[in-house]
Amino acid sequence: MKILLNGDFVETAEGATIASLLRQLDISRERVAVELNADIAPKADYEKQLLCDGDKIEIVHFVGGG
Amino acid sequence: MTQNADTLIIGGREFTSRLMVGTGKYASFEQTARALEISGAQIITVAVRRVNLDRSKESLLDYIDLKKYTLLPNTAGCYTAEDAVRTCRLAREAGMSDFVKLEVLGDEKTLFPDNEELLKAAKILIADGFTVLPYCSDDVIVCKKLEDLGCAAVMPLGAPIGSGLGIRNPYNIRIILENVTVPVIVDAGVGSASDAAIAMELGCAGVLMNTAIAGALDPIAMAEAMKLAVIAGRLSFKAGRIPRKLYANASSPLDGMIG
């Protein structure tokens, strides 16, 4: 299935969760926030939150800024 | 030490430093960390952006001791209340703190605040439990409205972001200081240490800057200059300056002059 991840379509396995996606991307969950279809995904839900074809995911973190 | 007792309280948190520093535009993460250290800042701003999936996962936060600083995520680049609120919610989830520097911009050329959208966003965020520090115009009416909504501070600009023009309208800042009770922090416009001292001498609770330090020829030296300027300006304000007079007033006694 395909998801829209940070503006780009990427292929993910059926049954993928937010947690498995972060593992696949080698991103530590502590310092990121994830939005699933424009709603915040609470960290506590990462393991159980299944992804569906066409889901829009945003993964953000802190960068230098004023 | 005089300044130790003179703490700044924002959103129930107590700070001994009145200098707040941004983390953008430095040459490297090492330089960012060093400048922050030298500046003595306890509140540092960060921006919220997409994780870059193609590049190194190295992050600013790998270089910064999060036990030493209160992170103040900003909503830089947001032009609507909706985008700013969305960014704040992401920041809270990423950082586990309710502190946000709320900015809603009206125009790319000036980066002046869109105060209408700012007020709208502040209202939503405060209802949602955020501690809101809004970047706003140097306009007492807007500042009062932000205070009435429940903002933890107001952060009027001294001059356009990154302009280094200094405090362009000190009288507006004075009017704001006389009419709001939350901390007033000059955010944006500072170019040199004297600008920071002027903001503090006006009676501001603090100064927030980024480009003035990061863009200096020697950011580390400028970070120290800003630290000292904020301390000096604060002490000068508290000490109470002499009135300005048009004519001289001799410092040495007039009595006992030799004949």
Side-chain angles (χ1 to χ4, degrees), chain A residues 5-7 25-27 30-35 38 40-44 46 56 58-66, chain B residues 22-24 45-51 53 57 60-62 71 73-74 86 89-91 93-96 101 210:
Chain A
L5 175 61
N6 285 5
L25 296 167
D26 192 24
I27 293 172
E30 279 72 39
R31 291 173 187 171
V32 297
V34 180
E35 225 184 46
I40 297 282
K43 285 186 202 287
Y46 285 0
K56 193 172 170 239
E58 293 282 348
I59 305 176
V60 302
H61 66 157
F62 293 134
V63 300
Chain B
T23 56
T45 62
V46 289
V48 178
R49 291 292 180 270
R50 281 174 168 167
V51 170
L53 303 171
K57 298 292 188 300
L60 167 69
L61 298 193
D62 295 334
L71 286 188
N74 69 28
R86 188 177 166 201
R89 289 186 173 141
L90 282 165
E93 188 63 23
M96 304 304 202
K101 169 180 160 178
N210 190 154

Side-chain angles (χ1 to χ4, degrees), chain B residues 207-237:
Chain B
V207 184
L208 198 166
M209 65 183 75
N210 190 154
T211 310
I213 296 175
L217 211 52
D218 182 345
I220 309 303
M222 191 58 91
E224 185 171 17
M226 292 300 183
K227 172 189 176 170
L228 297 172
V230 167
I231 292 171
R234 178 67 181 174
L235 285 173
S236 173
F237 166 71

Side-chain angles (χ1 to χ4, degrees), chain B:
Chain B
M1 297 259 292
T2 328
Q3 62 264 35
N4 278 359
D6 180 33
T7 56
L8 169 62
I9 296 170
I10 302 174
R13 294 196 207 176
E14 197 170 357
F15 304 95
T16 50
S17 169
R18 291 173 179 273
L19 173 59
M20 289 149 224
V21 176
T23 56
K25 299 201 221 173
Y26 288 91
S28 64
F29 289 142
E30 287 89 351
Q31 191 187 56
T32 315
R34 187 90 185 105
L36 294 177
E37 175 80 37
I38 296 286
S39 77
Q42 293 168 308
I43 298 176
I44 61 171
T45 62
V46 289
V48 178
R49 291 292 180 270
R50 281 174 168 167
V51 170
N52 194 319
L53 303 171
D54 306 326
R55 286 194 218 139
S56 149
K57 298 292 188 300
E58 193 169 62
S59 148
L60 167 69
L61 298 193
D62 295 334
Y63 287 80
I64 288 168
D65 181 356
L66 293 172
K67 288 192 281 295
K68 275 172 59 178
Y69 302 104
T70 292
L71 286 188
L72 184 61
N74 69 28
T75 59
C78 291
Y79 285 83
T80 63
E82 190 186 351
D83 280 351
V85 168
R86 188 177 166 201
T87 302
C88 289
R89 289 186 173 141
L90 282 165
R92 177 161 66 182
E93 188 63 23
M96 304 304 202
S97 155
D98 292 329
F99 271 54
V100 284
K101 169 180 160 178
L102 178 63
E103 55 183 289
V104 188
L105 305 172
D107 172 77
E108 281 178 29
K109 195 170 177 182
T110 61
L111 299 179
F112 280 149
D114 181 331
N115 292 309
E116 190 182 352
E117 290 293 302
L118 181 68
L119 289 162
K120 206 191 293 177
K123 193 172 181 181
I124 296 167
L125 290 167
I126 289 161
D128 201 4
F130 283 91
T131 299
V132 178
L133 288 76
Y135 156 73
C136 58
S137 304
D138 56 349
D139 173 341
V140 69
I141 307 302
V142 167
C143 288
K144 278 172 65 115
K145 286 184 181 179
L146 289 163
E147 177 178 50
D148 290 345
L149 286 175
C151 289
V154 291
M155 305 206 293
L157 54 85
I161 293 173
S163 70
L165 289 172
I167 316 296
R168 293 329 301 147
N169 201 333
Y171 302 101
N172 273 12
I173 302 292
R174 274 179 59 189
I175 292 171
I176 293 165
L177 284 161
E178 284 194 8
N179 288 282
V180 305
T181 53
V182 292
V184 176
I185 295 156
V186 162
D187 177 9
V190 165
S192 64
S194 54
D195 295 332
I198 287 169
M200 297 311 295
E201 285 186 327
L202 286 169
C204 290
V207 184
L208 198 166
M209 65 183 75
N210 190 154
T211 310
I213 296 175
L217 211 52
D218 182 345
I220 309 303
M222 191 58 91
E224 185 171 17
M226 292 300 183
K227 172 189 176 170
L228 297 172
V230 167
I231 292 171
R234 178 67 181 174
L235 285 173
S236 173
F237 166 71
K238 292 192 78 183
R241 59 153 300 145
I242 59 164
R244 288 179 171 85
K245 289 190 293 263
L246 191 55
Y247 293 104
N249 186 357
S251 305
S252 306
L254 299 176
D255 292 341
M257 292 287 292
I258 53 172

